[in-house]
Amino acid sequence: MSTILQVSSRMRQCANSLESSSIQAALIGPHAKILRSKIIPTPTVMTETNSRHLSSIQHNPRWRASGVLDSYIAQPAHPISLRQLVFFGGRNLDDKKIINSANYVRTELPLRIAHRIRDMQKLPYVVVTNRHLSAVYELYYKAFESFRKIPEIKSLEDNEKFCEIVKTALQEHLTVIPSLAMGVLECNDLVPSHELDRFMNVILRSRISRRVIAEQHLALTDTFNSPFHFPDSVSHQPHEFVGEVFLRCNAREVVEQVGKHTLELAREANGSTSPIPEIQIEGRLDTTFPYIPSHLEYIIGELLRNSIQATIDHHTPLSTSSLPPIKVLICHTKEHIIFRVSDQGGGIPVTELAHLWSFAKAPRAANYLQNFSHVPKMAATLQELQKTAHTHSRRESMDTSLSRLTSRPPNLRLGMGLPMSRVYAEYWAGSLELHSLDGYGTDVFLQVSKLGNKCVLFADGVPS
Amino acid sequence: MYRIAAAAKPSQRPLVRCVSTTFNSHGGTGSASSLEGYTPPTTSPANDMIAQLAAKHLDRLSLKDLIRFGRPPLSTQSLLTSARFTREYLPVRLSRRIRALRNLPYIIVSNPNISTIYNNYIDSLSAILAFPAGSLTSLTEESKFTELLTEIVNTHSNTIPTLAKGFLECRGYTTPGEATKFLDHHLRARIGTRLMAEQHIGLHLASVPQPPTVSVPGKSYIGTVDTELRPAEIIESCASFVGDICELRYGARPKLTIDGNPDITFPYIPVHLEYIITELLKNAFRATIEANSPVPIIVTIAAAPGPPDAGGITIRIRDQGGGIAPDDLGHIWSYSFSTFNGSRSSIGSGNSGHLEGVDDGAPDGGMDAMGRFTESAGALEPSSIAGLGYGLPMSRAYAQYFGGSLKVQSAYEWGTDVYLRLKGVGLDGL
């Protein structure tokens, strides 16, 4: 303000002087210019930078008539009991059952996807226009449009065509999880963390339900078509798989396999000379139960990966002595299997505990985003199929989105292992709890429902 | 001290008898319809001395507050400041407890056990108020004041079992939710009240020379805080004590090993840690013995890096005693819930249907639990091997008082892990 007063008084002085007007004008000019610049702010000019920014945030979403979507959303999802799903295909698969299954999938998938599309539509505009989330949105809409237009399946031939469509969609959607995760990390300063977490939980739970329904149908079709399938004969070997569900999943075997695999990855990543902790398994080792191996392998894999990496990081200075082992306890009740993974990796500091279960990871988002770009084939769209590392899956040539994640090296921290694992655990009426002994180590308790349990309803996972 | 208390009795009447005073204010001449000569009472419970004291501002007691005068022996000035502080704020705390008690349903406070506690608080408040605040200017007066505090602390040492008995007897007259709410609030507030008194007593004993018959706190103590508390030591002594009770009752004692970092020390209040560890070990020992498990109980001590008030200490107690049944898990934090003797008398389980079906078990289970109350007194509370049903919720209250936590994780049909986290206090060169 004082500058303005100074300048304007100077102008008055000039004006009051007895100089000729032209000299006055010449004297006043520069002062007036200064005065003008101090009182009236210079308008923002369309610089090169500004122009680029504006065009980058321009967005032309395809406006689709939302009437169709509205009509689908008006219908609730139809939950199917897992018992029905699993034992449906048991020994009496016939044409009719396959066709029924196909039509259930045909109608259920677009219904459930419609609900999720609406969820995304309700998020703030600035969030859904994030490039990763926008890609997911487009994928979902495309799937919705394509599935809702499929006519009723009436023959096995129709079913074959249908299965091809399903397979393609499953493949295309493999990038959804990393895209969602990266999108959420990039948007974590636009929306409160808890809202982003709620959104992620809902969309991931629904995704599990759709993929399991779809994969189960594909597996049943496979079984039906397989040359060894004789519908009326008594088979000599008990059916080990019903679709994706492995009826006699052995807890110890799963932990051993996953443990071996994760330790190998750790060895590769940390150098073959550095010590690697041992994994010791104790408890009720004869436990078998029906489960979907890829889910269990993912969760156990994440937990072991965390423990192994923490143990290595915490003890590296004293690398001459052997590292304390990771102890996995397996036990079971009538309805649940319990895994306890205990490590001596130094525990988790109190300051980090708050963000452990969040997908939004507020303070460390940048680190995690960086790491995403290092995961093999995470960001790119899929071109070819890839063999999975896990032989339990019936369709070995089928790449699953989880296998992509489980084959990454353990020191590549994406920050979503725990929240993702919890989504999977809770989906099957289970739970995931973590207890940290700050300065010593961490205990994680995974509880899963035995899948034969009739209480597990195979719902969309979300109350509509 | 009692002489002073007796002299204060006349002023005590308005506290308990204001109901009858109101009714008789017009002299009771028998003219029932006329209210002539009726003068409304000038004080009502809403604004009487209790209410006024209770409304005063109160800061939460922190470990930092407790050590603010530095290491004893304190200067006379500091000791008198501490005494004056206690003289000022203890009445506020006591009044709040009285206010909470007198807001309970009439039928509950009429219960002889509850009524005893209520009168104890009134008596203690009277005694303190009768001690002239302005007289705390010399060590002689301060010594008298400390004697008074000691008596008050002793009077109230049996509050928990007495309240427990009372609430158990009143089970039918209140909802589980109301009972839990009251007990939780009351017992947590009680921690602070006792601490305030005991802290001054401890500082006094360490600052003013005592005859050899009186036990004084050790060199590392600042009142009730041991600046060099070694958790492993507490665990060992509690294990020995609980093991003895086990042998008495079951004829066997389970093994216990300590791993992690047994040598660490941190500043904390030993009697609190002792209480918590004793209760937790009681649960672990009982489960282990009743499951006939040969596996020892493993206690792991972890110290977070950094100052003691940052990450603090975490103690994990791991047993293989068979875990907690899923049906019971929802009740473990309820007051007076106990699986001892197969009984399930629960206050605050939130499942009122649960209470109905408990009649068959309650008299025996309940009585047996009460019988335990009379067993040998421990440092803080009377001990029993089990059956009180207050162990877990009280332990959690103690743990949480200074910002810690207590979590229970059970693997049913295998065992239980309990995680106790405590924050110490930075000594800042003390």
Side-chain angles (χ1 to χ4, degrees), chain A residues 21-315:
Chain A
S21 49
S22 52
I23 301 174
Q24 277 182 16
L27 286 173
I28 288 173
H31 296 300
K33 197 165 159 195
I34 297 170
L35 193 60
R36 239 202 334 269
S37 69
K38 296 264 181 264
I39 296 172
I40 305 165
T42 333
T44 307
V45 168
M46 191 53 132
T47 62
E48 189 58 40
T49 329
N50 290 349
S51 163
R52 257 183 281 131
H53 176 66
L54 280 178
S55 56
S56 77
I57 64 170
Q58 252 181 337
H59 184 79
N60 296 307
R62 266 181 276 166
W63 172 250
R64 289 131 165 149
S66 60
V68 180
L69 199 69
D70 290 344
S71 66
Y72 272 83
I73 287 166
Q75 307 167 51
H78 302 106
I80 182 174
S81 122
L82 195 64
R83 210 181 184 92
Q84 287 171 276
L85 199 69
V86 166
F87 297 106
F88 175 79
R91 278 166 202 227
N92 303 315
L93 269 185
D94 58 10
D95 297 24
K96 204 151 142 300
K97 283 207 168 140
I98 290 284
I99 291 173
N100 281 344
S101 167
N103 280 311
Y104 173 75
V105 176
R106 178 184 68 89
T107 49
E108 204 53 25
L109 287 189
L111 188 51
R112 295 182 183 203
I113 273 210
H115 284 272
R116 302 292 72 78
I117 294 174
R118 181 46 55 87
D119 283 349
M120 289 193 82
Q121 289 174 336
K122 287 193 186 157
L123 284 177
Y125 184 79
V126 68
V127 167
V128 189
T129 49
N130 169 278
R131 59 200 163 117
H132 305 290
L133 294 178
S134 171
V136 173
Y137 181 75
E138 291 299 319
L139 266 179
Y140 275 17
Y141 225 114
K142 182 163 160 235
F144 170 67
E145 290 292 330
S146 117
F147 273 89
R148 74 177 181 89
K149 289 174 182 157
I150 301 174
E152 191 188 334
I153 295 155
K154 298 201 172 112
S155 69
L156 288 178
E157 227 175 51
D158 291 342
N159 180 49
E160 290 302 315
K161 286 204 210 101
F162 176 66
C163 286
E164 282 309 306
I165 299 177
V166 173
K167 263 190 211 144
T168 315
L170 285 174
Q171 291 287 71
E172 278 180 351
H173 285 234
L174 283 176
T175 56
V176 165
I177 292 183
S179 295
L180 283 175
M182 285 193 280
V184 163
L185 284 173
E186 285 181 5
C187 290
N188 71 2
D189 47 2
L190 298 169
V191 180
S193 293
H194 65 90
E195 273 181 42
L196 285 174
D197 287 333
R198 203 173 46 86
F199 165 72
M200 274 296 262
N201 273 292
V202 166
I203 210 168
L204 287 173
R205 286 163 72 90
S206 179
R207 185 172 183 279
I208 297 174
S209 79
R210 293 192 314 271
R211 287 186 84 88
V212 172
I213 294 178
E215 285 169 354
Q216 191 68 1
H217 176 71
L218 292 179
L220 289 180
T221 303
D222 267 357
T223 309
F224 185 69
N225 291 338
S226 113
F228 299 105
H229 176 81
F230 298 101
D232 300 314
S233 74
V234 176
S235 67
H236 295 287
Q237 271 178 333
H239 277 262
E240 294 209 320
F241 276 90
V242 176
E244 276 291 293
V245 180
F246 184 26
L247 291 179
R248 287 193 357 250
C249 206
N250 177 274
R252 183 177 54 86
E253 267 173 38
V254 171
V255 177
E256 271 173 3
Q257 287 251 0
V258 177
K260 217 169 74 175
H261 180 64
T262 323
L263 284 173
E264 260 167 43
L265 288 171
R267 218 165 270 123
E268 274 171 30
N270 288 285
S272 49
T273 50
S274 66
I276 301 284
E278 205 188 293
I279 295 176
Q280 293 173 354
I281 305 177
E282 51 173 353
R284 304 263 150 79
L285 305 179
D286 52 347
T287 318
T288 71
F289 51 100
Y291 213 73
I292 295 185
S294 61
H295 290 190
L296 193 61
E297 285 158 8
Y298 173 71
I299 303 173
I300 302 279
E302 287 301 313
L303 301 182
L304 287 178
R305 170 176 286 114
N306 287 345
S307 290
I308 292 171
Q309 202 53 43
T311 308
I312 294 175
D313 289 344
H314 187 68
H315 289 89

Side-chain angles (χ1 to χ4, degrees), chain A residues 282-284 329-334 338 340 342 348-350 353 433 435-443 445 447, chain B residues 259-261 300-305 310-312 314-316 318 320 407-414 417 419 421:
Chain A
E282 51 173 353
R284 304 263 150 79
L329 167 73
I330 301 173
C331 54
H332 64 107
T333 68
K334 255 188 346 209
I338 299 163
R340 180 182 71 196
S342 285
I348 298 171
V350 180
L353 282 178
E433 302 275 352
H435 297 276
S436 155
L437 286 92
D438 203 349
Y440 179 81
T442 309
D443 292 345
F445 285 80
Q447 184 164 286
Chain B
D259 69 7
N261 201 338
T300 309
I301 304 175
T314 314
I315 298 174
R316 174 183 68 197
R318 176 170 279 178
Q320 229 172 283
K407 301 218 169 92
V408 171
Q409 184 78 50
S410 168
Y412 185 45
E413 293 187 19
W414 181 268
D417 288 353
Y419 300 85
R421 180 183 217 124

